[in-house]
Amino acid sequence: MPEELALKWQARREPALRERRGGERRRAAGAGREQRLVFTDRLLVTLVHLRLGLPHAAPAELYRVDRSTVSGAIRELRPLLAARGFAVPGQPGLRLRTLEDLFAYTAAEGVRLRIDGTEVQFRRPRAGRPRPQGVRVRQEEAEHHQDHHLQ
């Protein structure tokens, strides 16, 4: 798998670099600054982030690189992994690439899906903007609950 993805990554990366340079290479391939994360490390960081949901700062600390380096690696590799699809355990030739593929597979196999619709807030609200009403209510409930326990 890493070799297959590395070839696709390189194929996507070269035209982007050519565009940014405004033309062909002026130096030999491999010249210039050294990559902070080699492809294997980029892939590992992306897979760990997707699997465990760790913030980008955690693998950045482990690899001793800036958080933006990890963010860039994830941004580059995530589409390649999504296009590759997801393997189905016990069926080596089958890959699920779209939501429709997933629904068709579960219907054919008699698997019942349970979709979790939990809302998760990923970013804090901007300063000066009112917070969502639900957050305020929960804070007031917590304060009310603490008041009763203190008495």
Side-chain angles (χ1 to χ4, degrees):
M1 175 183 92
E3 297 83 18
E4 170 194 339
L5 286 174
L7 293 173
K8 289 181 181 181
W9 175 70
Q10 194 64 31
R12 287 181 69 176
R13 189 169 184 263
E14 279 304 318
L17 290 174
R18 190 177 305 113
E19 173 89 21
R20 195 168 67 191
R21 282 190 301 261
E24 292 300 320
R25 289 177 172 274
R26 294 185 200 125
R27 297 185 212 163
R33 69 180 177 89
E34 194 174 308
Q35 289 279 332
R36 302 288 287 192
L37 289 176
V38 295
F39 177 77
T40 309
D41 293 336
R42 290 172 177 266
L43 180 60
L44 185 61
V45 160
T46 304
L47 291 172
V48 165
H49 169 71
L50 292 173
R51 178 72 173 135
L52 302 177
L54 291 176
H56 296 183
E61 187 67 30
L62 290 173
Y63 279 98
R64 298 180 191 271
V65 296
D66 193 67
R67 184 193 51 78
S68 63
T69 303
V70 171
S71 297
I74 292 170
R75 190 174 39 256
E76 288 175 352
L77 289 178
R78 196 174 195 160
L80 292 175
L81 290 169
R84 190 168 189 274
F86 299 91
V88 177
Q91 298 186 3
L94 183 61
R95 298 198 80 75
L96 305 175
R97 290 182 171 79
T98 64
L99 200 52
E100 289 79 24
D101 291 347
L102 174 66
F103 289 143
Y105 170 75
T106 57
E109 295 292 318
V111 175
R112 184 171 168 228
L113 286 179
R114 193 174 90 200
I115 299 177
D116 182 4
T118 304
E119 183 179 339
V120 178
Q121 184 176 355
F122 287 98
R123 296 183 183 199
R124 295 174 60 192
R126 281 193 215 156
R129 296 185 99 185
R131 292 184 181 224
Q133 187 64 33
V135 174
R136 235 182 252 123
V137 169
R138 278 188 239 125
Q139 287 173 344
E140 290 168 4
E141 288 175 2
E143 291 167 4
H144 178 73
H145 186 71
Q146 287 175 350
D147 289 343
H148 282 300
H149 282 291
L150 293 176
Q151 293 175 354

